[in-house]
Amino acid sequence: MRVPARLLGFLTGLLLATGAGAQFPSRPITIVVPYAPGGTNDIMARAVAGKMQESIGQSVVVENKPGAGGNIGAAHVAKSAPDGHTILTASVGVYSINKWMQKLPYDPEKDFAPITNGGSVPNMLIVHPSVPVKDVRELIAFARANPGKVAFASMGSGTTGHLSGELFKQLANADILHVPYKGSAPALQDLLGGQVQLMFDNMPTAIKLAQSGKVKGLALTSLQPHPLAPGVPTLDQAGLKGFDVTAWFGFAAPAGTPKPVIDRLNAEMVKALRDPVVSENLTKLGVTIIADTPEHFAAYMASESKKWKEVVQRAGIKLD
């Protein structure tokens, strides 16, 4: 009996996909971090890699490929073989922000197959002690009374710290100057020195400065309060309704990676992220574990992309 061409193609694809899942992994897996070592993204990747290789029968290595706001490492993974042996772990900038500010050597929506969103960290609004405010409402009033004279620092253009500030300006209807730096450390140095008045920085770093009295911690950028920042309200609670910004860190493979491979990677990564030791260590750093499905992560990436497109276009942000 002759098998119809369409059915034959379907069966062939099914066998190939099943075979890919059964044979995976056939060699070591590389998780590419498109940033320098030491950040939350890097720490999460190494924690996941360590647990994964205990159960998959292959080593899992982490390779840092920093540069161009994460775009160099992301482009490397996008062009890699779609077999699940090269994976990207990157932040919201790579997946949902950068594309709206500059031309990229990859397409976040077409070149990646989402695996899971590992976790997220809120930013925290901190101000220099000399600024005569004690809460968000007073800060907004102060900024409106001094248009163009209040400056906020960021760890770089296009980062969640920068975009948090732009969203704050838009929702607060305040004229505040953006001063970008090459990293969080130099930005914090000028904030502590009083050269700039405020900053949105990752909560784990900012809360320590606030607790020491070196800065005032006014609010978190997430919708929900955080257990590591007791008593610190969210910007939504402080009056800027709907303000929701988190630095999230997700895993993705090159587009075209067979679904059985994506499903295997998702299962292994979710198991690693929910491991009691891994989860506790990341939680101590302020990370909220997400560990969702590929489908949920894809939908979230799309919603974040839409949100940041609107913020970037209203602010008129363009990077060279």
mmCIF file of all heavy atoms in Angstrom, residues 17-63:
data_model
loop_
_atom_site.group_PDB
_atom_site.id
_atom_site.type_symbol
_atom_site.label_atom_id
_atom_site.label_comp_id
_atom_site.label_asym_id
_atom_site.label_seq_id
_atom_site.Cartn_x
_atom_site.Cartn_y
_atom_site.Cartn_z
ATOM 1 N N ALA A 17 11.958 13.631 15.508
ATOM 2 C CA ALA A 17 11.808 14.340 16.780
ATOM 3 C C ALA A 17 11.930 13.392 17.946
ATOM 4 O O ALA A 17 12.579 13.680 18.960
ATOM 5 C CB ALA A 17 10.452 15.049 16.813
ATOM 6 N N THR A 18 11.308 12.197 17.815
ATOM 7 C CA THR A 18 11.380 11.210 18.892
ATOM 8 C C THR A 18 12.810 10.731 19.084
ATOM 9 O O THR A 18 13.295 10.586 20.199
ATOM 10 C CB THR A 18 10.464 10.018 18.567
ATOM 11 O OG1 THR A 18 9.146 10.492 18.351
ATOM 12 C CG2 THR A 18 10.466 9.022 19.702
ATOM 13 N N GLY A 19 13.511 10.526 17.952
ATOM 14 C CA GLY A 19 14.897 10.097 18.045
ATOM 15 C C GLY A 19 15.768 11.148 18.701
ATOM 16 O O GLY A 19 16.635 10.839 19.511
ATOM 17 N N ALA A 20 15.504 12.425 18.376
ATOM 18 C CA ALA A 20 16.289 13.509 18.975
ATOM 19 C C ALA A 20 16.113 13.525 20.480
ATOM 20 O O ALA A 20 17.065 13.719 21.238
ATOM 21 C CB ALA A 20 15.863 14.846 18.375
ATOM 22 N N GLY A 21 14.878 13.306 20.933
ATOM 23 C CA GLY A 21 14.628 13.311 22.360
ATOM 24 C C GLY A 21 15.275 12.137 23.048
ATOM 25 O O GLY A 21 15.814 12.252 24.154
ATOM 26 N N ALA A 22 15.245 10.966 22.370
ATOM 27 C CA ALA A 22 15.796 9.762 22.986
ATOM 28 C C ALA A 22 17.315 9.831 23.071
ATOM 29 O O ALA A 22 17.916 9.311 24.017
ATOM 30 C CB ALA A 22 15.355 8.544 22.188
ATOM 31 N N GLN A 23 17.971 10.445 22.091
ATOM 32 C CA GLN A 23 19.425 10.484 22.053
ATOM 33 C C GLN A 23 20.014 11.684 22.793
ATOM 34 O O GLN A 23 21.222 11.770 22.966
ATOM 35 C CB GLN A 23 19.879 10.524 20.590
ATOM 36 C CG GLN A 23 19.490 9.297 19.785
ATOM 37 C CD GLN A 23 19.739 9.472 18.304
ATOM 38 O OE1 GLN A 23 20.338 10.456 17.868
ATOM 39 N NE2 GLN A 23 19.262 8.529 17.499
ATOM 40 N N PHE A 24 19.195 12.580 23.213
ATOM 41 C CA PHE A 24 19.672 13.817 23.849
ATOM 42 C C PHE A 24 19.892 13.613 25.342
ATOM 43 O O PHE A 24 19.057 13.003 26.015
ATOM 44 C CB PHE A 24 18.654 14.931 23.624
ATOM 45 C CG PHE A 24 19.018 16.229 24.291
ATOM 46 C CD1 PHE A 24 19.937 17.077 23.715
ATOM 47 C CD2 PHE A 24 18.475 16.572 25.520
ATOM 48 C CE1 PHE A 24 20.286 18.271 24.337
ATOM 49 C CE2 PHE A 24 18.818 17.754 26.139
ATOM 50 C CZ PHE A 24 19.728 18.602 25.549
ATOM 51 N N PRO A 25 20.996 14.145 25.891
ATOM 52 C CA PRO A 25 22.109 14.809 25.198
ATOM 53 C C PRO A 25 23.162 13.794 24.760
ATOM 54 O O PRO A 25 23.415 12.827 25.465
ATOM 55 C CB PRO A 25 22.654 15.752 26.261
ATOM 56 C CG PRO A 25 22.393 15.022 27.551
ATOM 57 C CD PRO A 25 21.099 14.278 27.352
ATOM 58 N N SER A 26 23.766 14.047 23.649
ATOM 59 C CA SER A 26 24.771 13.137 23.123
ATOM 60 C C SER A 26 26.188 13.641 23.373
ATOM 61 O O SER A 26 27.157 12.961 23.048
ATOM 62 C CB SER A 26 24.553 12.926 21.619
ATOM 63 O OG SER A 26 24.631 14.160 20.922
ATOM 64 N N ARG A 27 26.304 14.842 23.923
ATOM 65 C CA ARG A 27 27.613 15.434 24.237
ATOM 66 C C ARG A 27 27.388 16.520 25.293
ATOM 67 O O ARG A 27 26.253 16.816 25.656
ATOM 68 C CB ARG A 27 28.251 16.010 22.982
ATOM 69 C CG ARG A 27 27.492 17.140 22.321
ATOM 70 C CD ARG A 27 28.240 17.648 21.103
ATOM 71 N NE ARG A 27 27.615 18.846 20.535
ATOM 72 C CZ ARG A 27 26.621 18.827 19.665
ATOM 73 N NH1 ARG A 27 26.119 17.657 19.275
ATOM 74 N NH2 ARG A 27 26.116 19.962 19.199
ATOM 75 N N PRO A 28 28.450 17.124 25.808
ATOM 76 C CA PRO A 28 28.280 18.165 26.834
ATOM 77 C C PRO A 28 27.392 19.311 26.371
ATOM 78 O O PRO A 28 27.356 19.659 25.187
ATOM 79 C CB PRO A 28 29.718 18.652 27.074
ATOM 80 C CG PRO A 28 30.564 17.461 26.750
ATOM 81 C CD PRO A 28 29.875 16.787 25.588
ATOM 82 N N ILE A 29 26.669 19.896 27.312
ATOM 83 C CA ILE A 29 25.786 21.034 27.058
ATOM 84 C C ILE A 29 26.497 22.313 27.512
ATOM 85 O O ILE A 29 27.125 22.340 28.572
ATOM 86 C CB ILE A 29 24.459 20.877 27.824
ATOM 87 C CG1 ILE A 29 23.678 19.688 27.257
ATOM 88 C CG2 ILE A 29 23.614 22.148 27.753
ATOM 89 C CD1 ILE A 29 22.420 19.366 28.056
ATOM 90 N N THR A 30 26.393 23.343 26.700
ATOM 91 C CA THR A 30 26.972 24.639 27.054
ATOM 92 C C THR A 30 25.866 25.650 27.290
ATOM 93 O O THR A 30 24.996 25.841 26.441
ATOM 94 C CB THR A 30 27.892 25.165 25.938
ATOM 95 O OG1 THR A 30 28.976 24.247 25.743
ATOM 96 C CG2 THR A 30 28.467 26.527 26.310
ATOM 97 N N ILE A 31 25.875 26.264 28.465
ATOM 98 C CA ILE A 31 24.950 27.353 28.762
ATOM 99 C C ILE A 31 25.719 28.661 28.603
ATOM 100 O O ILE A 31 26.681 28.920 29.323
ATOM 101 C CB ILE A 31 24.380 27.250 30.190
ATOM 102 C CG1 ILE A 31 23.616 25.933 30.366
ATOM 103 C CG2 ILE A 31 23.468 28.436 30.491
ATOM 104 C CD1 ILE A 31 23.044 25.740 31.764
ATOM 105 N N VAL A 32 25.306 29.459 27.634
ATOM 106 C CA VAL A 32 25.981 30.729 27.347
ATOM 107 C C VAL A 32 25.342 31.844 28.156
ATOM 108 O O VAL A 32 24.126 32.060 28.096
ATOM 109 C CB VAL A 32 25.919 31.062 25.844
ATOM 110 C CG1 VAL A 32 26.508 32.446 25.577
ATOM 111 C CG2 VAL A 32 26.654 30.001 25.033
ATOM 112 N N VAL A 33 26.164 32.550 28.928
ATOM 113 C CA VAL A 33 25.725 33.735 29.665
ATOM 114 C C VAL A 33 26.282 34.943 28.929
ATOM 115 O O VAL A 33 27.501 35.103 28.846
ATOM 116 C CB VAL A 33 26.232 33.721 31.122
ATOM 117 C CG1 VAL A 33 25.825 35.006 31.840
ATOM 118 C CG2 VAL A 33 25.698 32.503 31.864
ATOM 119 N N PRO A 34 25.443 35.809 28.378
ATOM 120 C CA PRO A 34 25.943 36.923 27.560
ATOM 121 C C PRO A 34 26.403 38.134 28.370
ATOM 122 O O PRO A 34 26.365 39.264 27.871
ATOM 123 C CB PRO A 34 24.738 37.256 26.688
ATOM 124 C CG PRO A 34 23.566 36.966 27.551
ATOM 125 C CD PRO A 34 23.969 35.761 28.365
ATOM 126 N N TYR A 35 26.810 37.886 29.597
ATOM 127 C CA TYR A 35 27.289 38.950 30.484
ATOM 128 C C TYR A 35 28.537 38.464 31.209
ATOM 129 O O TYR A 35 28.879 37.276 31.174
ATOM 130 C CB TYR A 35 26.215 39.326 31.514
ATOM 131 C CG TYR A 35 24.861 39.583 30.915
ATOM 132 C CD1 TYR A 35 23.832 38.650 31.048
ATOM 133 C CD2 TYR A 35 24.598 40.749 30.207
ATOM 134 C CE1 TYR A 35 22.583 38.872 30.495
ATOM 135 C CE2 TYR A 35 23.349 40.984 29.645
ATOM 136 C CZ TYR A 35 22.344 40.040 29.795
ATOM 137 O OH TYR A 35 21.117 40.254 29.230
ATOM 138 N N ALA A 36 29.210 39.392 31.892
ATOM 139 C CA ALA A 36 30.405 39.043 32.651
ATOM 140 C C ALA A 36 30.039 38.165 33.850
ATOM 141 O O ALA A 36 28.895 38.179 34.319
ATOM 142 C CB ALA A 36 31.109 40.314 33.115
ATOM 143 N N PRO A 37 30.993 37.395 34.366
ATOM 144 C CA PRO A 37 30.721 36.546 35.528
ATOM 145 C C PRO A 37 30.342 37.375 36.755
ATOM 146 O O PRO A 37 30.720 38.542 36.885
ATOM 147 C CB PRO A 37 32.057 35.833 35.751
ATOM 148 C CG PRO A 37 32.756 35.894 34.435
ATOM 149 C CD PRO A 37 32.351 37.208 33.831
ATOM 150 N N GLY A 38 29.571 36.757 37.651
ATOM 151 C CA GLY A 38 29.280 37.370 38.934
ATOM 152 C C GLY A 38 27.888 37.921 39.112
ATOM 153 O O GLY A 38 27.444 38.115 40.236
ATOM 154 N N GLY A 39 27.173 38.191 38.019
ATOM 155 C CA GLY A 39 25.822 38.724 38.131
ATOM 156 C C GLY A 39 24.808 37.640 38.446
ATOM 157 O O GLY A 39 25.120 36.442 38.456
ATOM 158 N N THR A 40 23.569 38.054 38.700
ATOM 159 C CA THR A 40 22.510 37.103 39.032
ATOM 160 C C THR A 40 22.301 36.101 37.910
ATOM 161 O O THR A 40 22.096 34.903 38.152
ATOM 162 C CB THR A 40 21.195 37.847 39.319
ATOM 163 O OG1 THR A 40 21.417 38.815 40.345
ATOM 164 C CG2 THR A 40 20.117 36.876 39.786
ATOM 165 N N ASN A 41 22.358 36.569 36.670
ATOM 166 C CA ASN A 41 22.192 35.691 35.509
ATOM 167 C C ASN A 41 23.243 34.581 35.522
ATOM 168 O O ASN A 41 22.940 33.397 35.309
ATOM 169 C CB ASN A 41 22.328 36.531 34.239
ATOM 170 C CG ASN A 41 21.606 35.924 33.048
ATOM 171 O OD1 ASN A 41 20.637 36.467 32.562
ATOM 172 N ND2 ASN A 41 22.081 34.783 32.582
ATOM 173 N N ASP A 42 24.490 34.957 35.779
ATOM 174 C CA ASP A 42 25.603 34.015 35.814
ATOM 175 C C ASP A 42 25.472 33.042 36.976
ATOM 176 O O ASP A 42 25.683 31.829 36.825
ATOM 177 C CB ASP A 42 26.913 34.799 35.926
ATOM 178 C CG ASP A 42 28.143 33.904 35.930
ATOM 179 O OD1 ASP A 42 28.430 33.275 34.899
ATOM 180 O OD2 ASP A 42 28.815 33.835 36.979
ATOM 181 N N ILE A 43 25.092 33.554 38.134
ATOM 182 C CA ILE A 43 24.936 32.712 39.319
ATOM 183 C C ILE A 43 23.842 31.668 39.099
ATOM 184 O O ILE A 43 24.002 30.484 39.448
ATOM 185 C CB ILE A 43 24.615 33.581 40.548
ATOM 186 C CG1 ILE A 43 25.820 34.457 40.900
ATOM 187 C CG2 ILE A 43 24.217 32.717 41.747
ATOM 188 C CD1 ILE A 43 25.538 35.508 41.948
ATOM 189 N N MET A 44 22.720 32.095 38.503
ATOM 190 C CA MET A 44 21.630 31.157 38.241
ATOM 191 C C MET A 44 22.053 30.081 37.252
ATOM 192 O O MET A 44 21.760 28.890 37.443
ATOM 193 C CB MET A 44 20.405 31.901 37.705
ATOM 194 C CG MET A 44 19.232 30.992 37.375
ATOM 195 S SD MET A 44 17.808 31.885 36.728
ATOM 196 C CE MET A 44 17.294 32.772 38.198
ATOM 197 N N ALA A 45 22.746 30.480 36.187
ATOM 198 C CA ALA A 45 23.187 29.515 35.186
ATOM 199 C C ALA A 45 24.092 28.461 35.796
ATOM 200 O O ALA A 45 23.964 27.260 35.513
ATOM 201 C CB ALA A 45 23.900 30.238 34.048
ATOM 202 N N ARG A 46 25.014 28.870 36.646
ATOM 203 C CA ARG A 46 25.947 27.927 37.256
ATOM 204 C C ARG A 46 25.252 27.007 38.258
ATOM 205 O O ARG A 46 25.601 25.817 38.385
ATOM 206 C CB ARG A 46 27.107 28.687 37.907
ATOM 207 C CG ARG A 46 27.958 29.410 36.881
ATOM 208 C CD ARG A 46 29.127 30.179 37.469
ATOM 209 N NE ARG A 46 29.768 30.981 36.414
ATOM 210 C CZ ARG A 46 30.617 30.497 35.520
ATOM 211 N NH1 ARG A 46 30.964 29.218 35.579
ATOM 212 N NH2 ARG A 46 31.142 31.278 34.591
ATOM 213 N N ALA A 47 24.271 27.537 38.959
ATOM 214 C CA ALA A 47 23.514 26.702 39.897
ATOM 215 C C ALA A 47 22.730 25.621 39.150
ATOM 216 O O ALA A 47 22.707 24.453 39.554
ATOM 217 C CB ALA A 47 22.570 27.570 40.719
ATOM 218 N N VAL A 48 22.090 26.015 38.053
ATOM 219 C CA VAL A 48 21.318 25.065 37.242
ATOM 220 C C VAL A 48 22.239 24.042 36.590
ATOM 221 O O VAL A 48 21.942 22.838 36.574
ATOM 222 C CB VAL A 48 20.493 25.812 36.178
ATOM 223 C CG1 VAL A 48 19.919 24.847 35.152
ATOM 224 C CG2 VAL A 48 19.374 26.599 36.842
ATOM 225 N N ALA A 49 23.362 24.495 36.059
ATOM 226 C CA ALA A 49 24.296 23.589 35.389
ATOM 227 C C ALA A 49 24.799 22.514 36.349
ATOM 228 O O ALA A 49 24.889 21.327 35.986
ATOM 229 C CB ALA A 49 25.476 24.379 34.821
ATOM 230 N N GLY A 50 25.113 22.920 37.562
ATOM 231 C CA GLY A 50 25.624 21.964 38.540
ATOM 232 C C GLY A 50 24.648 20.854 38.866
ATOM 233 O O GLY A 50 25.033 19.684 39.012
ATOM 234 N N LYS A 51 23.366 21.193 38.969
ATOM 235 C CA LYS A 51 22.349 20.181 39.286
ATOM 236 C C LYS A 51 22.005 19.344 38.058
ATOM 237 O O LYS A 51 21.776 18.133 38.167
ATOM 238 C CB LYS A 51 21.090 20.842 39.825
ATOM 239 C CG LYS A 51 21.242 21.491 41.182
ATOM 240 C CD LYS A 51 21.740 20.512 42.246
ATOM 241 C CE LYS A 51 20.790 19.356 42.490
ATOM 242 N NZ LYS A 51 21.263 18.465 43.568
ATOM 243 N N MET A 52 21.946 19.968 36.875
ATOM 244 C CA MET A 52 21.574 19.238 35.660
ATOM 245 C C MET A 52 22.523 18.084 35.365
ATOM 246 O O MET A 52 22.099 16.981 35.019
ATOM 247 C CB MET A 52 21.537 20.182 34.457
ATOM 248 C CG MET A 52 20.278 21.007 34.335
ATOM 249 S SD MET A 52 20.328 22.051 32.843
ATOM 250 C CE MET A 52 20.318 20.802 31.541
ATOM 251 N N GLN A 53 23.809 18.339 35.494
ATOM 252 C CA GLN A 53 24.763 17.316 35.094
ATOM 253 C C GLN A 53 24.777 16.116 36.047
ATOM 254 O O GLN A 53 25.348 15.072 35.726
ATOM 255 C CB GLN A 53 26.167 17.892 34.956
ATOM 256 C CG GLN A 53 26.795 18.409 36.214
ATOM 257 C CD GLN A 53 28.151 19.063 35.925
ATOM 258 O OE1 GLN A 53 28.498 19.337 34.773
ATOM 259 N NE2 GLN A 53 28.924 19.302 36.961
ATOM 260 N N GLU A 54 24.095 16.240 37.179
ATOM 261 C CA GLU A 54 23.970 15.102 38.091
ATOM 262 C C GLU A 54 23.007 14.054 37.553
ATOM 263 O O GLU A 54 23.065 12.888 37.955
ATOM 264 C CB GLU A 54 23.491 15.577 39.471
ATOM 265 C CG GLU A 54 24.491 16.439 40.216
ATOM 266 C CD GLU A 54 23.945 16.917 41.552
ATOM 267 O OE1 GLU A 54 22.827 16.463 41.923
ATOM 268 O OE2 GLU A 54 24.616 17.715 42.225
ATOM 269 N N SER A 55 22.114 14.459 36.627
ATOM 270 C CA SER A 55 21.073 13.528 36.195
ATOM 271 C C SER A 55 21.014 13.259 34.694
ATOM 272 O O SER A 55 20.307 12.348 34.268
ATOM 273 C CB SER A 55 19.700 14.041 36.647
ATOM 274 O OG SER A 55 19.415 15.302 36.074
ATOM 275 N N ILE A 56 21.740 14.024 33.871
ATOM 276 C CA ILE A 56 21.594 13.840 32.426
ATOM 277 C C ILE A 56 22.703 13.003 31.790
ATOM 278 O O ILE A 56 22.632 12.694 30.604
ATOM 279 C CB ILE A 56 21.511 15.192 31.698
ATOM 280 C CG1 ILE A 56 22.829 15.968 31.842
ATOM 281 C CG2 ILE A 56 20.339 16.018 32.199
ATOM 282 C CD1 ILE A 56 22.874 17.209 30.986
ATOM 283 N N GLY A 57 23.739 12.687 32.561
ATOM 284 C CA GLY A 57 24.789 11.838 32.023
ATOM 285 C C GLY A 57 25.807 12.551 31.164
ATOM 286 O O GLY A 57 26.612 11.908 30.489
ATOM 287 N N GLN A 58 25.777 13.867 31.151
ATOM 288 C CA GLN A 58 26.761 14.660 30.409
ATOM 289 C C GLN A 58 27.142 15.870 31.262
ATOM 290 O O GLN A 58 26.375 16.301 32.125
ATOM 291 C CB GLN A 58 26.179 15.147 29.079
ATOM 292 C CG GLN A 58 25.944 14.063 28.042
ATOM 293 C CD GLN A 58 27.217 13.588 27.368
ATOM 294 O OE1 GLN A 58 28.290 14.165 27.547
ATOM 295 N NE2 GLN A 58 27.107 12.503 26.597
ATOM 296 N N SER A 59 28.316 16.414 31.005
ATOM 297 C CA SER A 59 28.707 17.628 31.716
ATOM 298 C C SER A 59 27.942 18.820 31.155
ATOM 299 O O SER A 59 27.551 18.839 29.985
ATOM 300 C CB SER A 59 30.212 17.866 31.589
ATOM 301 O OG SER A 59 30.577 18.043 30.237
ATOM 302 N N VAL A 60 27.712 19.827 32.012
ATOM 303 C CA VAL A 60 27.045 21.064 31.621
ATOM 304 C C VAL A 60 27.962 22.208 32.018
ATOM 305 O O VAL A 60 28.250 22.397 33.202
ATOM 306 C CB VAL A 60 25.671 21.221 32.301
ATOM 307 C CG1 VAL A 60 24.992 22.503 31.820
ATOM 308 C CG2 VAL A 60 24.787 20.014 32.016
ATOM 309 N N VAL A 61 28.459 22.938 31.033
ATOM 310 C CA VAL A 61 29.423 24.002 31.299
ATOM 311 C C VAL A 61 28.790 25.360 31.035
ATOM 312 O O VAL A 61 27.881 25.488 30.213
ATOM 313 C CB VAL A 61 30.695 23.839 30.439
ATOM 314 C CG1 VAL A 61 31.384 22.539 30.750
ATOM 315 C CG2 VAL A 61 30.346 23.910 28.952
ATOM 316 N N VAL A 62 29.269 26.364 31.755
ATOM 317 C CA VAL A 62 28.799 27.734 31.584
ATOM 318 C C VAL A 62 29.893 28.538 30.911
ATOM 319 O O VAL A 62 31.049 28.525 31.349
ATOM 320 C CB VAL A 62 28.422 28.373 32.932
ATOM 321 C CG1 VAL A 62 28.051 29.848 32.745
ATOM 322 C CG2 VAL A 62 27.271 27.618 33.576
ATOM 323 N N GLU A 63 29.546 29.220 29.843
ATOM 324 C CA GLU A 63 30.500 30.039 29.092
ATOM 325 C C GLU A 63 30.007 31.479 29.036
ATOM 326 O O GLU A 63 28.888 31.732 28.584
ATOM 327 C CB GLU A 63 30.662 29.486 27.676
ATOM 328 C CG GLU A 63 31.663 30.258 26.827
ATOM 329 C CD GLU A 63 31.818 29.679 25.433
ATOM 330 O OE1 GLU A 63 31.180 28.644 25.139
ATOM 331 O OE2 GLU A 63 32.563 30.265 24.632
#
